[in-house]
Amino acid sequence: MQRYFVSPEQFKEDRVEVTGEDARHISKVMRGKPGDAFIVSDGVSREALVEIESIEQTSVTAVITELLEMNHEPRLKVTIAQSLPKGDKMETVIQKCTEIGAVTFVPFISERTIVQYDAKKEGKRLERWRKIAKEAAEQAHRNIIPAVEQPLAWKQLLGSFSHYDKVCFCYEKEHGSQLRDVLKPFTAQSLQEPGSAASLLLLVGPEGGFTEEECRTAEEAGAVSVGLGRRILRCETAGMTALACALYESGEMGGV
Ligand code: SAH
């Protein structure tokens, strides 16, 4: 069933107003008509099954027929910090990691980042990335749309480590710890406690990888360097791999 994210203000008492692009999608693409049902989420605390009451090209009024439980989100809140890759690889990272369950993306610039970050174009790219996160979240039936932050410089990224319970620096030079050992505190039972949540930051380098100096400064700032196996993964593969392992280890990949 089609799902749309709306702002909390669009939830009225027993109705939801859908406007803009989403309203156009319902009327033009889905050829919606009164009585048709779809799901809306405010991405914060409300998700509902609704039925179209009235429909125009740029606005749809739908009646709430059932409030839905919001339980699609992992208890382990994983942020993916990705050194800006070339081409449209960042779009792949955002789409796939949204499907798997990441909650935030932090693009950053590191020594071997090839892409020159152009502040003028920044707005457009950031808007595109956020659109991809929204569409992937709708398709994946997420309860929230992952945030895509403004790109950070390396030092800014290091300064953000204290916001997380754990920071993993994905490093293919085999001196890192086993991801499984690092994730021990996040196993399923520890996150079963009601109200328990934990936050993990995963750092992934660009096509050329991280420098030894970056590994040193990241560890100094509190990161643990971890290996993802004896194969060299592409930068756009590494983040989703580490994310899937982390969510598997914390029991978020079914089976609980
Ligand atoms: N330096 C690599 C290319 C870097 S891959 C080479 O020799 O070709 C891009 C990023 O993916 C790396 O910076 C690292 O963050 C991550 N990565 C790739 N393979 C990995 C592995 N086996 N273990 C941990 N991280 C890995």
Side-chain angles (χ1 to χ4, degrees):
M1 180 175 279
Q2 199 64 33
R3 156 189 302 258
Y4 301 92
F5 282 100
V6 298
S7 66
E9 302 71 51
Q10 288 172 264
F11 263 83
K12 318 282 183 203
E13 283 71 49
D14 59 354
R15 279 170 172 68
V16 177
E17 287 296 320
V18 182
T19 56
E21 201 44 47
D22 289 339
R24 223 183 311 284
H25 186 266
I26 295 170
S27 64
K28 288 267 161 281
V29 176
M30 304 305 287
R31 298 192 182 291
K33 54 188 184 314
D36 286 355
F38 58 89
I39 289 172
V40 283
S41 170
D42 68 2
V44 179
S45 61
R46 273 172 303 182
E47 189 157 294
L49 182 63
V50 297
E51 254 178 43
I52 296 175
E53 180 181 56
S54 62
I55 182 162
E56 271 116 52
Q57 198 149 21
T58 55
S59 96
V60 175
T61 303
V63 178
I64 294 175
T65 55
E66 184 188 349
L67 280 174
L68 303 174
E69 222 192 320
M70 296 180 82
N71 58 1
H72 298 185
E73 292 305 309
R75 286 169 300 256
L76 177 59
K77 307 299 177 198
V78 183
T79 294
I80 304 283
Q82 172 69 53
S83 178
L84 279 177
K86 288 186 295 186
D88 58 4
K89 292 176 198 166
M90 191 65 182
E91 299 180 12
T92 305
V93 170
I94 291 172
Q95 185 186 62
K96 298 308 166 199
C97 292
T98 294
E99 291 171 50
I100 298 169
V103 291
T104 301
F105 297 95
V106 179
F108 67 92
I109 315 274
S110 56
E111 196 142 332
R112 295 183 184 150
T113 304
I114 297 160
V115 172
Q116 292 312 322
Y117 205 70
D118 168 349
K120 282 193 296 309
K121 278 194 293 194
E122 173 179 344
K124 277 196 91 42
R125 287 204 329 167
L126 210 47
E127 197 184 310
R128 168 119 187 90
W129 291 340
R130 288 172 175 159
K131 185 165 185 283
I132 287 182
K134 176 175 183 286
E135 288 168 354
E138 284 167 348
Q139 177 275 323
H141 291 190
R142 296 286 302 267
N143 298 130
I144 57 110
I145 302 173
V148 181
E149 310 287 350
Q150 302 265 356
L152 297 182
W154 179 246
K155 283 204 170 12
Q156 288 175 302
L157 182 66
L158 293 179
S160 73
F161 286 8
S162 57
H163 305 160
Y164 303 91
D165 296 318
K166 185 73 76 175
V167 180
C168 289
F169 176 86
C170 297
Y171 200 42
E172 66 283 8
K173 300 218 167 51
E174 272 301 313
H175 88 293
S177 325
Q178 277 294 329
L179 187 55
R180 163 158 288 174
D181 302 338
V182 176
L183 293 171
K184 266 211 173 16
F186 301 136
T187 48
Q189 52 273 31
S190 68
L191 286 173
Q192 289 300 354
E193 306 305 311
S196 68
S199 59
L200 170 66
L201 175 66
L202 295 172
L203 268 72
V204 178
E207 291 84 349
F210 284 119
T211 62
E212 295 285 340
E213 176 60 9
E214 283 167 339
C215 181
R216 196 186 59 73
T217 50
E219 289 178 337
E220 233 166 52
V224 178
S225 59
V226 292
L228 295 172
R230 290 195 179 75
R231 279 83 40 207
I232 301 290
L233 308 176
R234 289 175 181 274
C235 60
E236 64 273 28
T237 312
M240 65 177 89
T241 305
L243 170 65
C245 293
L247 292 184
Y248 172 78
E249 200 59 24
S250 62
E252 294 292 349
M253 298 303 238
V256 274

